[in-house]
Amino acid sequence: MNKQRCRLGHFIAGLGLVMASLSATADFSADITVKLLAPGGTTEDATPVSLTQTVAVADLASGVLAGNLGGTGDISGFMLDDERVSFAGNTILLRLAAGGEAGGQLTTGYLADGLDPARYEISGLAVPGHLITGYTVQAFDGFANSGSSGLLAPVVPAALVFLFNNDTISFNLDSIVFVPRFAGQTENYAEFRIDLLTTPVPEPQPAWLLLAGGALLLLRRRAS
């Protein structure tokens, strides 16, 4: 009887660990690819921009950095000072600087081509045991949830973001208008925080095996 109780206790503890692992918050688990696309070029050069960098999972906290921050690679070399795309937990952090002007308003300087927008495409987003189902977007200095913002338009920053195939985020660049907070074009910037919303994806095999083992223990206990 004592052995049966011990086994039953181990079963319950094991089941608890499985359930906890399914509901725990997890970080990105794989390399992430960042693309910078501006099919209409920039305000200074109409040549289309198509650049790609892959960020190793071990380097996600640094991400893609501008050259003045120590970044290397095609996108890093194209970024304005202090710009970055980095990752923390299951959050994407972007800092964008004003690089152009249109109609007296400060813009990124990246241009669309018709319905094909200028954008960052961030793919390979994977959170272990979870399915990415949505996102929230903030546009405050310091990647915070409130405070000062360098974003004048769009009024709702979530309008800049689109989720594709549960693993790819597109971030629109050509519709951003910056608040002219400082003298000089490139001194103005905006910071964005994209928090991905996830739902646990059960891994039925371990839980099923534990449940089956528990049922067998209960049957043996009743038979004795």
Side-chain angles (χ1 to χ4, degrees):
M1 182 65 70
N2 289 336
K3 290 183 178 180
Q4 290 175 345
R5 288 179 178 173
C6 181
R7 289 173 181 169
L8 183 60
H10 288 169
F11 157 71
I12 293 173
L15 182 60
L17 288 174
V18 170
M19 295 307 177
S21 68
L22 292 178
S23 60
T25 299
D27 298 344
F28 293 123
S29 62
D31 298 353
I32 293 176
T33 298
V34 179
K35 292 183 179 181
L36 173 59
L37 304 171
T42 70
T43 52
E44 297 180 351
D45 184 349
T47 304
V49 177
S50 180
L51 304 172
T52 301
Q53 278 185 231
T54 297
V55 184
V57 65
D59 299 324
L60 294 181
S62 298
V64 180
L65 301 173
N68 75 307
L69 298 177
T72 58
D74 290 343
I75 295 178
S76 294
F78 209 80
M79 284 176 158
L80 297 175
D81 283 355
D82 298 328
E83 287 192 311
R84 66 187 303 165
V85 180
S86 59
F87 308 89
N90 57 2
T91 295
I92 303 169
L93 306 173
L94 301 99
R95 178 185 169 106
L96 304 177
E101 188 172 345
Q105 294 184 316
L106 296 174
T107 69
T108 62
Y110 295 116
L111 301 178
D113 182 10
L115 297 178
D116 192 11
R119 63 200 182 273
Y120 276 120
E121 279 188 8
I122 304 170
S123 60
L125 302 171
V127 180
H130 291 71
L131 177 68
I132 298 171
T133 57
Y135 51 83
T136 61
V137 186
Q138 307 287 347
F140 299 107
D141 289 356
F143 308 112
N145 295 320
S146 62
S148 300
S149 171
L151 181 66
L152 180 63
V155 175
V156 180
L160 296 168
V161 181
F162 302 90
L163 175 65
F164 300 97
N165 302 321
N166 300 107
D167 68 354
T168 301
I169 285 286
S170 176
F171 185 89
N172 187 289
L173 295 171
D174 57 75
S175 61
I176 291 174
V177 178
F178 296 91
V179 174
R181 297 184 290 179
F182 309 104
Q185 180 174 288
T186 58
E187 297 298 320
N188 291 281
Y189 67 93
E191 293 178 329
F192 301 86
R193 176 190 179 105
I194 305 171
D195 292 300
L196 299 180
L197 305 177
T198 65
T199 184
V201 178
E203 298 179 11
Q205 187 172 0
W208 174 253
L209 290 175
L210 283 171
L211 288 171
L216 181 60
L217 285 174
L218 290 174
L219 290 173
R220 287 182 176 176
R221 184 177 180 184
R222 289 179 180 177
S224 62

